[in-house]
Amino acid sequence: MITGSSATRVLPRVGSAVLAAAAALHAVWAAGSAWPARDRRELANLVAGTDEFPGPVPCIAVAGALTLAAALVTSEAGGARGRAARAALTVGFAVRGVAGAAGATRVLVPWTPSDRFVAMDRRFYGPLCLVIAALVAAGLPGRGSDRPAS
């Protein structure tokens, strides 16, 4: 059982691992893979709710952002700016998660996602974002964290 200060160390690391895995998946997509779909068109519908999958540059950009987020979650450095960045990351994933779980991601993107995507978003992507937000939040100061208050 994870309790107290051990949770503030373990849970953000789990969140960081989830973010790193998502970054790796986006890098695989940038390289041309359609996994877990049969082809890129199905993948586009599954993960973006569109007819065409984004090219390698946007996938690499997302992979890079997720990699930075993964590093930030477990970072001890940064003082007030680092804490603010982790709090912003928490809020960003919470907003994305609530929108997804409510089937309202369309308010966050400039396109109308497909019905299949909305269903996947409600069932998987939105809740996953909420879990990530909670894992990141577990390491924030004031949440039982043993990080120095620098």
Side-chain angles (χ1 to χ4, degrees):
M1 182 154 120
I2 298 174
T3 60
S5 66
S6 66
T8 62
R9 287 188 307 271
V10 171
L11 295 177
R13 286 186 176 111
V14 171
S16 181
V18 171
L19 290 166
L25 185 56
H26 282 78
V28 166
W29 291 339
S33 174
W35 186 86
R38 290 174 296 201
D39 57 42
R40 301 283 281 186
R41 186 174 181 90
E42 181 184 348
L43 182 65
N45 189 279
L46 183 66
V47 301
T50 60
D51 289 332
E52 290 186 34
F53 198 77
V57 172
C59 289
I60 289 295
V62 172
L66 290 167
T67 299
L68 289 174
L72 177 65
V73 169
T74 56
S75 172
E76 296 288 334
R81 287 184 181 161
R83 290 188 301 273
R86 286 187 292 276
L89 189 62
T90 299
V91 170
F93 274 101
V95 167
R96 172 62 184 86
V98 168
T105 302
R106 69 187 172 284
V107 302
L108 302 178
V109 297
W111 65 89
T112 301
S114 68
D115 291 341
R116 181 178 183 196
F117 173 82
V118 171
M120 293 293 292
D121 205 17
R122 291 184 89 144
R123 188 169 185 188
F124 299 109
Y125 311 142
L128 176 60
C129 287
L130 290 171
V131 167
I132 292 169
L135 292 169
V136 174
L140 290 172
R143 310 281 307 161
S145 175
D146 57 354
R147 289 184 183 178
S150 56

